[in-house]
PDB file of all heavy atoms in Angstrom:
ATOM      1  N   PRO H  25      16.319   2.463  14.961  1.00  0.00           N
ATOM      2  CA  PRO H  25      16.790   1.508  13.992  1.00  0.00           C
ATOM      3  C   PRO H  25      17.223   1.996  12.623  1.00  0.00           C
ATOM      4  O   PRO H  25      17.913   1.362  11.943  1.00  0.00           O
ATOM      5  CB  PRO H  25      15.515   0.577  13.801  1.00  0.00           C
ATOM      6  CG  PRO H  25      14.390   1.605  14.049  1.00  0.00           C
ATOM      7  CD  PRO H  25      14.880   2.534  15.092  1.00  0.00           C
ATOM      8  N   VAL H  26      16.819   3.211  12.266  1.00  0.00           N
ATOM      9  CA  VAL H  26      17.124   3.765  10.925  1.00  0.00           C
ATOM     10  C   VAL H  26      17.819   5.123  10.952  1.00  0.00           C
ATOM     11  O   VAL H  26      17.833   5.819   9.980  1.00  0.00           O
ATOM     12  CB  VAL H  26      15.900   3.792  10.054  1.00  0.00           C
ATOM     13  CG1 VAL H  26      15.311   2.439   9.810  1.00  0.00           C
ATOM     14  CG2 VAL H  26      14.860   4.726  10.666  1.00  0.00           C
ATOM     15  N   ARG H  60      22.452  -0.390  10.482  1.00  0.00           N
ATOM     16  CA  ARG H  60      22.086  -0.924   9.146  1.00  0.00           C
ATOM     17  C   ARG H  60      21.990   0.075   8.044  1.00  0.00           C
ATOM     18  O   ARG H  60      21.847  -0.298   6.877  1.00  0.00           O
ATOM     19  CB  ARG H  60      20.760  -1.691   9.319  1.00  0.00           C
ATOM     20  CG  ARG H  60      19.510  -0.851   9.611  1.00  0.00           C
ATOM     21  CD  ARG H  60      18.345  -1.732   9.824  1.00  0.00           C
ATOM     22  NE  ARG H  60      17.119  -1.040   9.738  1.00  0.00           N
ATOM     23  CZ  ARG H  60      15.927  -1.561   9.725  1.00  0.00           C
ATOM     24  NH1 ARG H  60      15.801  -2.837   9.879  1.00  0.00           N
ATOM     25  NH2 ARG H  60      14.840  -0.847   9.676  1.00  0.00           N
ATOM     26  N   ALA H  64      17.870   7.610   7.427  1.00  0.00           N
ATOM     27  CA  ALA H  64      16.781   7.191   6.526  1.00  0.00           C
ATOM     28  C   ALA H  64      15.674   8.347   6.519  1.00  0.00           C
ATOM     29  O   ALA H  64      14.548   8.062   6.082  1.00  0.00           O
ATOM     30  CB  ALA H  64      16.138   5.868   6.988  1.00  0.00           C
ATOM     31  N   GLY H  65      16.011   9.519   7.031  1.00  0.00           N
ATOM     32  CA  GLY H  65      15.107  10.612   6.846  1.00  0.00           C
ATOM     33  C   GLY H  65      14.796  11.308   8.184  1.00  0.00           C
ATOM     34  O   GLY H  65      15.335  10.963   9.207  1.00  0.00           O
ATOM     35  N   ALA H  66      13.953  12.345   8.071  1.00  0.00           N
ATOM     36  CA  ALA H  66      13.531  13.046   9.297  1.00  0.00           C
ATOM     37  C   ALA H  66      12.742  12.009  10.173  1.00  0.00           C
ATOM     38  O   ALA H  66      12.311  11.038   9.671  1.00  0.00           O
ATOM     39  CB  ALA H  66      12.603  14.212   8.910  1.00  0.00           C
ATOM     40  N   ASP H  67      12.635  12.294  11.424  1.00  0.00           N
ATOM     41  CA  ASP H  67      11.902  11.419  12.288  1.00  0.00           C
ATOM     42  C   ASP H  67      10.404  11.760  12.102  1.00  0.00           C
ATOM     43  O   ASP H  67       9.936  12.814  12.644  1.00  0.00           O
ATOM     44  CB  ASP H  67      12.340  11.600  13.771  1.00  0.00           C
ATOM     45  CG  ASP H  67      11.693  10.577  14.725  1.00  0.00           C
ATOM     46  OD1 ASP H  67      10.558  10.058  14.311  1.00  0.00           O
ATOM     47  OD2 ASP H  67      12.241  10.236  15.697  1.00  0.00           O
ATOM     48  N   ILE H  68       9.703  10.911  11.412  1.00  0.00           N
ATOM     49  CA  ILE H  68       8.311  11.150  11.047  1.00  0.00           C
ATOM     50  C   ILE H  68       7.480  11.321  12.307  1.00  0.00           C
ATOM     51  O   ILE H  68       6.498  12.059  12.320  1.00  0.00           O
ATOM     52  CB  ILE H  68       7.803  10.033  10.130  1.00  0.00           C
ATOM     53  CG1 ILE H  68       8.656   9.856   8.922  1.00  0.00           C
ATOM     54  CG2 ILE H  68       6.347  10.307   9.734  1.00  0.00           C
ATOM     55  CD1 ILE H  68       8.345   8.547   8.119  1.00  0.00           C
ATOM     56  N   ARG H  69       7.825  10.677  13.366  1.00  0.00           N
ATOM     57  CA  ARG H  69       7.085  10.769  14.621  1.00  0.00           C
ATOM     58  C   ARG H  69       7.131  12.153  15.203  1.00  0.00           C
ATOM     59  O   ARG H  69       6.287  12.573  15.965  1.00  0.00           O
ATOM     60  CB  ARG H  69       7.582   9.728  15.661  1.00  0.00           C
ATOM     61  CG  ARG H  69       7.410   8.311  15.242  1.00  0.00           C
ATOM     62  CD  ARG H  69       7.837   7.377  16.379  1.00  0.00           C
ATOM     63  NE  ARG H  69       7.998   6.003  15.826  1.00  0.00           N
ATOM     64  CZ  ARG H  69       6.989   5.167  15.555  1.00  0.00           C
ATOM     65  NH1 ARG H  69       5.730   5.563  15.778  1.00  0.00           N
ATOM     66  NH2 ARG H  69       7.256   3.934  15.091  1.00  0.00           N
ATOM     67  N   PHE H  71       6.794  14.954  13.414  1.00  0.00           N
ATOM     68  CA  PHE H  71       5.957  15.854  12.647  1.00  0.00           C
ATOM     69  C   PHE H  71       4.772  16.252  13.444  1.00  0.00           C
ATOM     70  O   PHE H  71       4.185  15.468  14.194  1.00  0.00           O
ATOM     71  CB  PHE H  71       5.483  15.211  11.301  1.00  0.00           C
ATOM     72  CG  PHE H  71       6.603  15.037  10.364  1.00  0.00           C
ATOM     73  CD1 PHE H  71       6.368  14.289   9.179  1.00  0.00           C
ATOM     74  CD2 PHE H  71       7.895  15.466  10.551  1.00  0.00           C
ATOM     75  CE1 PHE H  71       7.360  14.088   8.261  1.00  0.00           C
ATOM     76  CE2 PHE H  71       8.897  15.249   9.642  1.00  0.00           C
ATOM     77  CZ  PHE H  71       8.597  14.518   8.475  1.00  0.00           C
ATOM     78  N   THR H 101      19.823   2.671   3.324  1.00  0.00           N
ATOM     79  CA  THR H 101      18.821   3.494   2.616  1.00  0.00           C
ATOM     80  C   THR H 101      18.829   4.937   3.067  1.00  0.00           C
ATOM     81  O   THR H 101      18.071   5.354   3.938  1.00  0.00           O
ATOM     82  CB  THR H 101      17.388   2.866   2.889  1.00  0.00           C
ATOM     83  OG1 THR H 101      17.267   2.752   4.393  1.00  0.00           O
ATOM     84  CG2 THR H 101      17.193   1.549   2.271  1.00  0.00           C
ATOM     85  N   GLY H 105      15.352  13.346   4.356  1.00  0.00           N
ATOM     86  CA  GLY H 105      16.285  14.302   4.947  1.00  0.00           C
ATOM     87  C   GLY H 105      17.714  13.700   5.096  1.00  0.00           C
ATOM     88  O   GLY H 105      18.661  14.370   5.212  1.00  0.00           O
ATOM     89  N   GLU H 108      19.182  14.431   1.791  1.00  0.00           N
ATOM     90  CA  GLU H 108      19.339  15.861   1.739  1.00  0.00           C
ATOM     91  C   GLU H 108      20.591  16.302   2.618  1.00  0.00           C
ATOM     92  O   GLU H 108      21.392  17.179   2.173  1.00  0.00           O
ATOM     93  CB  GLU H 108      18.118  16.521   2.267  1.00  0.00           C
ATOM     94  CG  GLU H 108      16.929  16.428   1.280  1.00  0.00           C
ATOM     95  CD  GLU H 108      15.681  16.971   1.873  1.00  0.00           C
ATOM     96  OE1 GLU H 108      15.176  16.474   2.952  1.00  0.00           O
ATOM     97  OE2 GLU H 108      15.134  18.024   1.344  1.00  0.00           O
ATOM     98  N   GLU H 128       9.573  11.456   0.119  1.00  0.00           N
ATOM     99  CA  GLU H 128       8.618  12.286   0.902  1.00  0.00           C
ATOM    100  C   GLU H 128       7.209  12.298   0.298  1.00  0.00           C
ATOM    101  O   GLU H 128       6.208  12.414   1.028  1.00  0.00           O
ATOM    102  CB  GLU H 128       9.125  13.718   1.011  1.00  0.00           C
ATOM    103  CG  GLU H 128      10.255  13.924   1.979  1.00  0.00           C
ATOM    104  CD  GLU H 128      11.643  13.666   1.383  1.00  0.00           C
ATOM    105  OE1 GLU H 128      11.710  13.010   0.345  1.00  0.00           O
ATOM    106  OE2 GLU H 128      12.599  14.049   2.016  1.00  0.00           O
ATOM    107  N   PRO H 135      10.464  16.989  -0.274  1.00  0.00           N
ATOM    108  CA  PRO H 135      11.744  17.185   0.457  1.00  0.00           C
ATOM    109  C   PRO H 135      11.837  18.643   0.983  1.00  0.00           C
ATOM    110  O   PRO H 135      11.789  19.506   0.209  1.00  0.00           O
ATOM    111  CB  PRO H 135      12.772  16.914  -0.591  1.00  0.00           C
ATOM    112  CG  PRO H 135      12.057  16.031  -1.578  1.00  0.00           C
ATOM    113  CD  PRO H 135      10.665  16.544  -1.615  1.00  0.00           C
ATOM    114  N   GLY H 136      11.912  18.743   2.254  1.00  0.00           N
ATOM    115  CA  GLY H 136      11.868  20.097   2.856  1.00  0.00           C
ATOM    116  C   GLY H 136      13.191  20.604   3.375  1.00  0.00           C
ATOM    117  O   GLY H 136      13.276  21.590   4.111  1.00  0.00           O
ATOM    118  N   PHE H 274       1.690   5.403   6.918  1.00  0.00           N
ATOM    119  CA  PHE H 274       3.075   4.810   6.906  1.00  0.00           C
ATOM    120  C   PHE H 274       3.255   3.907   8.142  1.00  0.00           C
ATOM    121  O   PHE H 274       3.763   2.774   7.997  1.00  0.00           O
ATOM    122  CB  PHE H 274       4.114   5.969   6.944  1.00  0.00           C
ATOM    123  CG  PHE H 274       5.519   5.522   7.194  1.00  0.00           C
ATOM    124  CD1 PHE H 274       6.306   5.097   6.098  1.00  0.00           C
ATOM    125  CD2 PHE H 274       6.086   5.407   8.442  1.00  0.00           C
ATOM    126  CE1 PHE H 274       7.579   4.658   6.275  1.00  0.00           C
ATOM    127  CE2 PHE H 274       7.402   4.998   8.685  1.00  0.00           C
ATOM    128  CZ  PHE H 274       8.145   4.620   7.589  1.00  0.00           C
ATOM    129  N   PHE H 275       2.859   4.372   9.272  1.00  0.00           N
ATOM    130  CA  PHE H 275       2.984   3.581  10.503  1.00  0.00           C
ATOM    131  C   PHE H 275       1.978   2.498  10.572  1.00  0.00           C
ATOM    132  O   PHE H 275       2.265   1.422  11.099  1.00  0.00           O
ATOM    133  CB  PHE H 275       2.945   4.496  11.764  1.00  0.00           C
ATOM    134  CG  PHE H 275       4.152   5.440  11.859  1.00  0.00           C
ATOM    135  CD1 PHE H 275       4.060   6.747  11.722  1.00  0.00           C
ATOM    136  CD2 PHE H 275       5.430   4.861  12.106  1.00  0.00           C
ATOM    137  CE1 PHE H 275       5.174   7.594  11.794  1.00  0.00           C
ATOM    138  CE2 PHE H 275       6.575   5.637  12.190  1.00  0.00           C
ATOM    139  CZ  PHE H 275       6.409   7.054  11.996  1.00  0.00           C
ATOM    140  N   ARG H 278       3.052  -0.724   9.016  1.00  0.00           N
ATOM    141  CA  ARG H 278       4.043  -1.400   9.775  1.00  0.00           C
ATOM    142  C   ARG H 278       3.454  -2.082  11.046  1.00  0.00           C
ATOM    143  O   ARG H 278       3.774  -3.164  11.406  1.00  0.00           O
ATOM    144  CB  ARG H 278       5.231  -0.476  10.128  1.00  0.00           C
ATOM    145  CG  ARG H 278       6.101  -0.249   8.937  1.00  0.00           C
ATOM    146  CD  ARG H 278       6.818   1.045   8.945  1.00  0.00           C
ATOM    147  NE  ARG H 278       7.643   1.146   7.754  1.00  0.00           N
ATOM    148  CZ  ARG H 278       7.146   1.450   6.525  1.00  0.00           C
ATOM    149  NH1 ARG H 278       5.839   1.771   6.374  1.00  0.00           N
ATOM    150  NH2 ARG H 278       7.891   1.487   5.427  1.00  0.00           N
ATOM    151  N   LYS H 282       2.115  -6.528  13.028  1.00  0.00           N
ATOM    152  CA  LYS H 282       2.368  -7.072  14.406  1.00  0.00           C
ATOM    153  C   LYS H 282       1.023  -7.612  14.977  1.00  0.00           C
ATOM    154  O   LYS H 282      -0.051  -6.977  14.830  1.00  0.00           O
ATOM    155  CB  LYS H 282       2.860  -5.939  15.329  1.00  0.00           C
ATOM    156  CG  LYS H 282       4.193  -5.333  14.783  1.00  0.00           C
ATOM    157  CD  LYS H 282       4.589  -4.057  15.491  1.00  0.00           C
ATOM    158  CE  LYS H 282       5.841  -3.490  14.813  1.00  0.00           C
ATOM    159  NZ  LYS H 282       6.024  -2.068  15.232  1.00  0.00           N
TER     160      LYS H 282
HETATM  161  N1  T1G N 817      11.013   8.215  11.146  1.00  0.00           N
HETATM  162  C1  T1G N 817      10.585   7.512  12.220  1.00  0.00           C
HETATM  163  N2  T1G N 817      10.548   6.147  12.311  1.00  0.00           N
HETATM  164  C2  T1G N 817      10.948   5.490  11.241  1.00  0.00           C
HETATM  165  C3  T1G N 817      11.349   6.144  10.020  1.00  0.00           C
HETATM  166  C4  T1G N 817      11.325   7.548  10.022  1.00  0.00           C
HETATM  167  N3  T1G N 817      11.751   8.277   8.965  1.00  0.00           N
HETATM  168  N4  T1G N 817      11.655   5.197   9.107  1.00  0.00           N
HETATM  169  C5  T1G N 817      11.433   3.997   9.702  1.00  0.00           C
HETATM  170  N5  T1G N 817      10.989   4.145  10.956  1.00  0.00           N
HETATM  171  C6  T1G N 817      10.784   3.116  11.884  1.00  0.00           C
HETATM  172  C7  T1G N 817       9.516   2.199  11.446  1.00  0.00           C
HETATM  173  O1  T1G N 817       8.290   2.713  11.864  1.00  0.00           O
HETATM  174  C8  T1G N 817       9.855   0.888  12.144  1.00  0.00           C
HETATM  175  O2  T1G N 817       9.458   0.999  13.472  1.00  0.00           O
HETATM  176  C9  T1G N 817      11.400   0.824  12.109  1.00  0.00           C
HETATM  177  O3  T1G N 817      11.847   2.181  11.925  1.00  0.00           O
HETATM  178  C10 T1G N 817      11.899  -0.018  10.947  1.00  0.00           C
HETATM  179  O4  T1G N 817      11.252   0.435   9.760  1.00  0.00           O
HETATM  180  C11 T1G N 817      13.061  16.959   5.798  1.00  0.00           C
HETATM  181  C12 T1G N 817      10.643  15.788   5.964  1.00  0.00           C
HETATM  182  C13 T1G N 817      14.063   3.041   5.948  1.00  0.00           C
HETATM  183  C14 T1G N 817      13.354   1.796   3.949  1.00  0.00           C
HETATM  184  O5  T1G N 817      10.183   8.303   4.098  1.00  0.00           O
HETATM  185  O6  T1G N 817      10.958   3.783   3.948  1.00  0.00           O
HETATM  186  O7  T1G N 817      12.911  13.189   5.612  1.00  0.00           O
HETATM  187  O8  T1G N 817       7.670  -0.643  13.536  1.00  0.00           O
HETATM  188  O9  T1G N 817       9.840  -1.646   9.379  1.00  0.00           O
HETATM  189  O10 T1G N 817      11.328  -2.428   6.040  1.00  0.00           O
HETATM  190  O11 T1G N 817      12.705  16.345   3.584  1.00  0.00           O
HETATM  191  O12 T1G N 817      11.423   2.315   7.029  1.00  0.00           O
HETATM  192  O13 T1G N 817       9.963  -1.214  14.378  1.00  0.00           O
HETATM  193  O14 T1G N 817       8.528   0.398  15.686  1.00  0.00           O
HETATM  194  O15 T1G N 817      10.053   0.123   7.645  1.00  0.00           O
HETATM  195  O16 T1G N 817      13.766  -2.304   6.673  1.00  0.00           O
HETATM  196  C15 T1G N 817      11.652  10.522   4.611  1.00  0.00           C
HETATM  197  C16 T1G N 817      10.752   6.012   5.657  1.00  0.00           C
HETATM  198  C17 T1G N 817      11.035  11.081   5.854  1.00  0.00           C
HETATM  199  C18 T1G N 817      11.679   6.717   4.857  1.00  0.00           C
HETATM  200  C19 T1G N 817      13.440   0.614   6.205  1.00  0.00           C
HETATM  201  N6  T1G N 817      12.051   9.139   4.812  1.00  0.00           N
HETATM  202  N7  T1G N 817      11.223   4.670   6.017  1.00  0.00           N
HETATM  203  O17 T1G N 817      12.501  -0.276   5.832  1.00  0.00           O
HETATM  204  O18 T1G N 817      11.993  -1.285   8.162  1.00  0.00           O
HETATM  205  S1  T1G N 817      10.470  12.674   5.609  1.00  0.00           S
HETATM  206  C20 T1G N 817      11.212   8.107   4.565  1.00  0.00           C
HETATM  207  C21 T1G N 817      11.292   3.654   5.144  1.00  0.00           C
HETATM  208  C22 T1G N 817      11.809  13.658   5.456  1.00  0.00           C
HETATM  209  C23 T1G N 817      12.805  15.775   4.895  1.00  0.00           C
HETATM  210  C24 T1G N 817      11.545  15.091   5.112  1.00  0.00           C
HETATM  211  C25 T1G N 817      11.666   2.310   5.666  1.00  0.00           C
HETATM  212  C26 T1G N 817      13.154   1.973   5.434  1.00  0.00           C
HETATM  213  P1  T1G N 817       8.867  -0.167  14.274  1.00  0.00           P
HETATM  214  P2  T1G N 817      10.657  -0.629   8.635  1.00  0.00           P
HETATM  215  P3  T1G N 817      12.365  -1.699   6.665  1.00  0.00           P
END
Side-chain angles (χ1 to χ4, degrees):
V26 295
R60 68 185 197 174
D67 188 334
I68 305 168
R69 294 183 198 284
F71 291 174
T101 50
E108 291 175 297
E128 284 85 345
F274 173 85
F275 290 112
R278 284 154 180 78
K282 300 168 187 165

